[in-house]
Amino acid sequence: MNIVVCAKQVPDTTEVRLDPETGTLIREGVPSIMNPDDKAGLEAALQIKDEIPDTKISVVSMGPEQADDVLREALAMGADEAYLVTDRRFGGADTWATSSTLAATIKSILGDYDLIITGRQAIDGDTAQVGPQIAEHLGLPNVSYAEDIKVEGDHVIVKRQYEDSSDILKVPMPALITALGDMNEPRYMTPGGIHDAYQKEVKIITRDDIDIDDGNIGLKGSPTRVKQSFPKPLKEPGKVVEFEPQQSADFVIEKLKEKFII
Amino acid sequence: MSKEDYKGVMVFVQQVDGEITPVSFELLGKATELAKDLDTKVTAVVIGNDIQDLPPVLAEYGADRVLVIDDPAVKKYMTEPYVHVMHTVIEDYKPEIVLFGATAIGRDLAPRVSARCHTGLTADCTKLEIDENDKGLMMTRPAFGGNLMATILCPDHRPQMSTVRPGVMQKNERVPGRKAEVIAVDIPDLEDHVNMEIIDQIKNITDKMDIQDANVLVSGGRGMQSPENFKILEELADALGGTVSSSRAAVDAGWVEKDRQVGQTGKTVRPNLYIAVGISGAIQHLAGMEESDVIIAINKDESAPIFSVADYGIVGDGLKIVPLITEALKKEQAEKE
């Protein structure tokens, strides 16, 4: 079977620090990584390939040229093919234009697929929109928030997480699934895999390689606009004290009374 | 079709097993405010089966009109039939704004609906306002893992759509007897849109209060050192009529259940009182609790970022201090009785 995995290169937002003076982001030195949910999606695809050896995994990433790094990592983990969707004309895309572009790429270049797996969301945007929107553009059923994915014949069995429950869903393929980061522990790259990854070709896909209307790509194809972005307003600092434990407890009781909580 | 033809604020009301999800009331509260600024009305859309009890409640919480789609095919949430219903009512009623809760259902449904309507969608908003000049919706959300805020517009497409973080907007005071126009919407052949099968449902059973419903949260982090030490937090929470929550570190360590987690990847809470014990206060955690009315932080490390949002910070050992607070509280309560 053929599986397409979408993976994004993201800044590791857990490594981002704020400048305490100005409240602005310190972007320097923040490492770029494969988005964690996407990596779990790739691992889910690799586990299917472990079960069904006659499986081809194609990884697609949209972004700048440096995103080649995450595709090499995917190849080193065991993916078969890698595609980098990169073109200045795709720049400034919101989730609508991004999903249109990825859907057109999958349709134009990777037409023969059974399953598409994306991460639930990327840690730099946290929108969780691109996966379901790709499915919409391709007219596929989708399941979001997958905790487990298993292939059974021409169906896929997905455990779908909600806040206080999970559904087990039986979905006909082709379908699109979005993976939760904690569904598995992604495997490490092997030395042989890393070597092979640099022997393989990462195919470059540009605007001219895919069949899509100019009104659906880049900034022009994006219904939303960022009006402004700003650091989180800082709260006025409160009162910080250091006492003996009993005195600390009394201080808390006093403040709870002042605030009419007790 | 110009954007001026779109009028009104529409709210997707999430119900599960006949019970309305709390964020839906919060959306009705925000929608009431937006509708007032736009001089228009609030329409609630509720989808399910055997849900005739729900429209009167929605009216009392601020809906002026309720569209009811009552059909066995949509008894349980499933993406495609719900997308088809929302797309159909949006085409028919042409609202200028559509709001969804940023729940595991809303965050699955809204992206496909927005794509089908060919419009923009802004995820996980924490602030919604009407621009006084052009009457557009200004949607503000945390970005970059909660490190930045971004205000997003949808200038040329309609409706303007957003998902809204639970626990952030204020619901209206319930007005008993408030009425709404209730319309039963019939969508033909809905069962044909069912494109997958639910073969099992697993409920996570918990007898604990949802942390988003609690007025008081006593929250523990890595500094609690062990799952056993959460017991002292439970005792304090009980004495204050609240419940226990936690930071991501305590969830990742396996000390507490994921549904207790406060923060960017957990839940957003705004209780009357939030007591953080042994939580350093990563930015992702602060994003989930800094709107609490009163914040008390207890931490050994005086440079812990949690102190930057705390109204009262105590540098010290929570494991020693918390039992003393509980004891003092119990003494107070005994004296009152």
Side-chain angles (χ1 to χ4, degrees), chain B residues 96-112:
Chain B
E96 61 201 289
I97 294 172
V98 184
L99 306 180
F100 301 80
T103 59
I105 287 178
R107 298 176 95 235
D108 177 62
L109 173 62
R112 281 201 84 137

Side-chain angles (χ1 to χ4, degrees), chain A residues 84-90 101 104-105 108 204-218:
Chain A
L84 178 57
V85 184
T86 189
D87 195 313
R88 274 166 185 258
R89 287 168 285 183
F90 296 144
T101 305
T105 301
S108 301
I204 304 292
I205 309 296
T206 69
R207 161 80 195 86
D208 302 322
D209 297 318
I210 62 173
D211 180 19
I212 191 168
D213 193 281
D214 273 330
N216 288 331
I217 61 167

Side-chain angles (χ1 to χ4, degrees), chain A:
Chain A
M1 66 182 287
N2 292 332
I3 305 177
V4 176
V5 174
C6 298
K8 184 184 185 185
Q9 186 181 47
V10 293
D12 187 349
T13 55
T14 58
E15 295 292 321
V16 171
R17 294 285 171 266
L18 291 183
D19 184 325
E21 299 292 313
T22 60
T24 52
L25 287 182
I26 305 169
R27 292 175 192 251
E28 286 80 41
V30 178
S32 288
I33 55 170
M34 191 190 306
N35 180 54
D37 284 3
D38 302 350
K39 201 168 179 174
L42 173 59
E43 175 59 33
L46 291 166
Q47 287 178 11
I48 293 170
K49 190 180 163 92
D50 292 342
E51 293 280 314
I52 310 169
D54 187 22
T55 295
K56 188 179 83 183
I57 300 174
S58 308
V59 182
V60 181
S61 187
M62 177 169 159
E65 280 171 26
Q66 304 88 281
D68 181 76
D69 291 349
V70 299
L71 291 168
R72 298 286 171 194
E73 185 181 352
L75 290 169
M77 285 170 69
D80 299 288
E81 292 181 353
Y83 297 84
L84 178 57
V85 184
T86 189
D87 195 313
R88 274 166 185 258
R89 287 168 285 183
F90 296 144
D94 70 358
T95 66
W96 206 92
T98 301
S99 59
S100 302
T101 305
L102 284 168
T105 301
I106 292 168
K107 203 170 177 179
S108 301
I109 315 282
L110 298 157
D112 183 24
Y113 55 83
D114 303 289
L115 196 55
I116 301 171
I117 304 179
T118 73
R120 169 197 42 169
Q121 63 190 31
I123 56 172
D124 56 345
D126 291 317
T127 73
Q129 292 173 11
V130 170
Q133 290 179 334
I134 292 172
E136 176 65 23
H137 294 306
L138 294 172
L140 300 176
N142 79 279
V143 179
S144 308
Y145 287 75
E147 295 175 272
D148 189 42
I149 305 171
K150 279 199 180 64
V151 171
E152 269 182 23
D154 53 359
H155 284 74
V156 56
I157 309 293
V158 187
K159 186 173 182 195
R160 197 275 195 218
Q161 186 186 76
Y162 293 100
E163 281 83 0
D164 58 355
S165 65
S166 301
D167 280 359
I168 310 292
L169 296 161
K170 185 179 177 188
V171 188
M173 293 193 282
L176 183 145
I177 314 294
T178 82
L180 289 172
D182 51 12
M183 73 181 291
N184 54 37
E185 288 284 337
R187 65 196 64 189
Y188 291 105
M189 300 180 277
T190 61
I194 295 169
H195 178 265
D196 291 351
Y198 283 90
Q199 307 303 313
K200 285 184 184 166
E201 184 195 3
V202 169
K203 299 184 186 77
I204 304 292
I205 309 296
T206 69
R207 161 80 195 86
D208 302 322
D209 297 318
I210 62 173
D211 180 19
I212 191 168
D213 193 281
D214 273 330
N216 288 331
I217 61 167
L219 187 63
K220 198 177 144 202
S222 298
T224 61
R225 287 284 180 277
V226 179
K227 181 182 152 75
Q228 59 165 343
S229 64
F230 50 94
K232 251 184 151 160
L234 296 172
K235 194 176 158 175
E236 288 286 307
K239 190 178 159 86
V240 179
V241 298
E242 187 165 0
F243 299 131
E244 289 303 306
Q246 186 59 54
Q247 217 182 338
S248 299
D250 295 343
F251 173 77
V252 170
I253 299 289
E254 180 192 315
K255 293 303 166 193
L256 293 179
K257 281 183 183 164
E258 264 176 37
K259 294 284 179 184
F260 302 106
I261 293 169
I262 55 168

Side-chain angles (χ1 to χ4, degrees), chain B residues 58-307:
Chain B
L58 298 172
E60 293 181 346
Y61 277 102
D64 301 304
R65 178 165 64 187
V66 183
L67 307 182
V68 185
I69 296 84
D70 194 331
D71 191 311
V74 286
K75 183 174 172 60
K76 299 274 180 209
Y77 176 74
M78 195 181 283
T79 311
E80 180 51 33
Y82 272 61
V83 172
H84 177 64
V85 169
M86 286 307 293
H87 177 245
T88 306
V89 298
I90 288 167
E91 291 279 295
D92 290 350
Y93 289 86
K94 296 188 172 44
E96 61 201 289
I97 294 172
V98 184
L99 306 180
F100 301 80
T103 59
I105 287 178
R107 298 176 95 235
D108 177 62
L109 173 62
R112 281 201 84 137
V113 174
S114 69
R116 199 164 294 182
C117 297
H118 195 166
T119 190
L121 171 66
T122 306
D124 296 352
C125 295
T126 53
K127 194 172 169 189
L128 296 171
E129 291 168 296
I130 301 297
D131 185 319
E132 280 180 24
N133 300 315
D134 67 0
K135 299 290 174 196
L137 182 64
M138 299 193 290
M139 301 168 271
T140 301
R141 68 182 302 263
F144 227 71
N147 294 285
L148 269 185
M149 303 298 290
T151 302
I152 313 284
L153 306 174
C154 181
D156 303 317
H157 294 71
R158 289 295 179 269
Q160 304 160 96
M161 291 184 29
S162 80
T163 62
V164 177
R165 270 208 90 133
V168 175
M169 305 301 176
Q170 300 279 13
K171 61 184 178 189
N172 294 335
E173 200 75 44
R174 187 172 184 167
V175 181
R178 189 178 181 278
K179 295 280 179 250
E181 179 190 4
V182 178
I183 302 173
V185 179
D186 178 44
I187 301 197
D189 306 321
L190 205 40
E191 68 278 6
D192 295 348
H193 293 267
V194 174
N195 60 359
M196 55 186 75
E197 188 190 339
I198 301 174
I199 51 180
D200 199 5
Q201 288 195 302
I202 304 156
K203 290 266 175 211
N204 308 341
I205 307 292
T206 173
D207 53 359
K208 286 192 185 143
M209 193 188 311
D210 188 320
I211 60 171
Q212 287 183 317
D213 296 336
N215 290 324
V216 175
L217 286 174
V218 181
S219 206
R222 204 192 302 276
M224 294 307 294
Q225 297 173 12
S226 74
E228 291 75 33
N229 287 336
F230 271 77
K231 185 97 182 98
I232 63 171
L233 303 186
E234 269 168 38
E235 285 163 359
L236 177 56
D238 284 347
L240 288 164
T243 192
V244 170
S245 57
S246 82
S247 70
R248 178 170 181 167
V251 174
D252 285 351
W255 299 345
V256 273
E257 295 291 311
K258 168 91 182 153
D259 68 346
R260 302 281 107 192
Q261 187 189 327
V262 171
Q264 185 77 8
T265 54
K267 293 177 177 174
T268 301
V269 297
R270 58 190 303 173
N272 303 126
L273 174 63
Y274 189 89
I275 304 181
V277 188
I279 294 178
S280 63
I283 195 138
Q284 290 83 358
H285 184 77
L286 304 185
M289 47 65 76
E290 64 193 342
E291 298 294 321
S292 307
D293 292 341
V294 177
I295 298 170
I296 297 178
I298 305 174
N299 202 296
K300 278 184 186 169
D301 175 8
E302 61 185 318
S303 65
I306 190 81
F307 289 129

